[in-house]
Amino acid sequence: INGVAADTAASSVIITASLLGLPVSTTHNVSASIMGVGSAKRFNAIRWTVVERMVWAWILTIPICGALAYVFVRGLMVLGWGG
């Protein structure tokens, strides 16, 4: 029943966001739904160290990808590709 509750919550958020034209991360939604179900059952059932690592990964993904894209584009420009 917990899995059904988590999947229903995540899919509801994703469908609503899609209908409104809002970009959302399915991974974030599913993970948050699973954490919600776990905390509703027992708050200390969640491994907060894992949650902390997930949040840091989410926060760092966009800046790191942007920096890598910049480095790759600059490298290609040095090699004479692109303008």
Side-chain angles (χ1 to χ4, degrees), residues 3 11 17 23 27 47 50 59 61 66 76:
S11 63
T27 305
R47 287 192 241 158
V50 175
I59 290 171
T61 297
L76 290 173

Side-chain angles (χ1 to χ4, degrees), residues 10 63 79:
L79 294 173

Side-chain angles (χ1 to χ4, degrees), residues 3-80:
V4 172
D7 285 342
T8 302
S11 63
S12 299
V13 170
I14 292 167
I15 290 171
T16 302
S18 296
L19 291 173
L20 295 173
L22 301 172
V24 293
S25 169
T26 54
T27 305
H28 292 176
N29 281 300
V30 171
S31 300
S33 297
I34 292 169
M35 285 186 274
V37 167
S39 65
K41 189 172 186 177
R42 201 180 65 200
F43 195 70
N44 59 355
I46 297 175
R47 287 192 241 158
W48 292 105
T49 55
V50 175
V51 173
E52 181 182 6
R53 289 194 334 228
M54 286 171 41
V55 169
W56 277 113
W58 293 339
I59 290 171
L60 295 175
T61 297
I62 292 176
I64 289 172
C65 288
L68 285 172
Y70 177 80
V71 168
F72 289 142
V73 168
R74 285 304 214 187
L76 290 173
M77 290 175 75
V78 167
L79 294 173

